[in-house]
Structure formats: C-alpha cells, structure tokens
Amino acid sequence: MSITLAAATQPTPAGAVVQWGFLTITVANLVTILVMLLVFVLAVLLPFPAPREEGEEP
C-alpha cells in the first residue's frame, strides 16, 4: 500500500507545453479543456428527448 501511495504522489515530469503569450499550458490539460468545452456545447445544442404521450410504448 505504501509503495503504491508513494508512486502515486511522486511528481512526474511535465509533458509537452504550449505557450501563447502569457498563457502556458500542458497539452494534456489543453486537450481536457477542449473535450469539456465540446461536451458542454453538445449538451446545449442537442435537443432534449420529447416527452412521451400517455399510452405510447418506449
């Protein structure tokens, strides 16, 4: 247990970094943010399922 916990808490070297003006972000974080934005946009744009009428089968 202590070996696993120690391995999980050890700092790892940073991956590729994107620098744009004053903004510096790792590629992994950038991809995560872009996927989250995509999911948000899809959630806003996709319609909700229509409510079923009484007596309608699923």
Side-chain angles (χ1 to χ4, degrees):
M1 172 75 177
S2 62
I3 294 173
T4 305
L5 182 59
T9 59
Q10 292 296 321
T12 57
V17 175
V18 176
Q19 292 182 340
W20 184 39
F22 66 91
L23 183 68
T24 303
I25 188 167
T26 62
V27 173
N29 285 340
L30 182 61
V31 168
T32 302
I33 291 169
L34 292 175
V35 169
M36 288 171 51
L37 287 173
L38 176 67
V39 169
F40 175 76
V41 168
L42 289 175
V44 169
L45 294 179
L46 293 176
F48 286 105
R52 293 187 188 143
E53 297 294 325
E54 196 169 311
E56 210 176 293
E57 292 194 24

